[in-house]
């Protein structure tokens, strides 16, 4: 299934379109997509710094490559992390571990009850320390708005407020 991208700016929400179409526009199916500005920036070496944070409960192996591709269409991917609940039996030597390593996705094994807090903390660390401009969240549909709001609140609580975008990565249809 294709992924849908929905971008949110701290100041005002902005909706995107299905993968392959320019973000921030509503384009009819069948029209020729224009190349997103961020992809053009990437070619010139001045792309936005992006990070992908995923919930393993919502996005398994079949989603990882398309999610990475979607984020790379926004700019330069500087970090990709997946949060896996402790107690699931995950190991670096498992099939998942080998696939994640081959894709360059770091694993963060965390207590299931603290996964949301860990994800928000990692998002803020990336924005503050690594100067990431776009945080892409691949989480359950019901979790996205809650997590995006928490990350935005953290970004606004510091002085000066942090400027970054939050992008939702979810399955279309």
């Amino acid at each position: 299934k294709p992924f849908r991208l929905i971008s949110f700016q701290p100041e005002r929400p902005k909706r995107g379109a299905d993968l392959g179409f320019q973000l921030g526009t509503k384009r009819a199916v069948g029209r020729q997509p224009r190349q997103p500005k961020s992809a053009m920036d990437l070619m010139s070496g001045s792309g936005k710094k992006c990070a992908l944070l995923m919930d393993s409960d919502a996005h398994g192996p079949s989603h990882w490559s398309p999610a990475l591709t979607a984020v790379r269409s926004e700019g330069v991917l500087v970090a990709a992390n997946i949060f896996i609940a402790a107690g699931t039996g995950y190991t670096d030597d498992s099939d998942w571990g080998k696939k994640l390593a081959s894709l360059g996705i770091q694993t963060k094994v965390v207590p299931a009850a603290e996964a949301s807090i860990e994800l928000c903390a990692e998002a803020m660390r990336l924005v503050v320390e690594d100067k990431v401009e776009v945080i892409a969240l691949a989480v359950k549909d019901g979790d996205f708005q809650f997590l995006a709001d928490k990350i935005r609140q953290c970004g606004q609580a510091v002085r000066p407020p942090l400027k970054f975008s939050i992008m939702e990565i979810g399955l279309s249809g």
Side-chain angles (χ1 to χ4, degrees), residues 53 118-128 132 135 137 151:
L53 303 177
E118 294 284 343
L119 190 144
C120 290
E122 181 64 7
M124 285 294 89
R125 187 197 69 73
L126 289 163
V127 170
V128 172
V132 167
I135 297 289
L137 299 178
I151 293 167

Side-chain angles (χ1 to χ4, degrees), residues 64 82 84 90 95-105 107:
W64 300 338
I82 189 164
I84 300 173
Y90 168 82
D95 288 343
W96 270 40
K98 291 174 186 174
K99 175 77 173 176
L100 289 164
S102 74
L103 293 170
I105 300 171
T107 57

Side-chain angles (χ1 to χ4, degrees), residues 5 14-18 21-28 33-34:
L5 308 177
K14 179 172 89 173
R15 286 185 114 31
D18 285 340
F21 290 97
Q22 183 178 2
L23 287 175
T25 62
K26 292 183 181 177
R27 301 185 72 171
R34 292 186 314 186

Side-chain angles (χ1 to χ4, degrees), residues 54-56 82-86 88 90 96 100 107-112:
M54 296 185 285
D55 176 355
S56 68
I82 189 164
F83 292 80
I84 300 173
T88 60
Y90 168 82
W96 270 40
L100 289 164
T107 57
K108 305 233 182 228
V109 179
V110 298

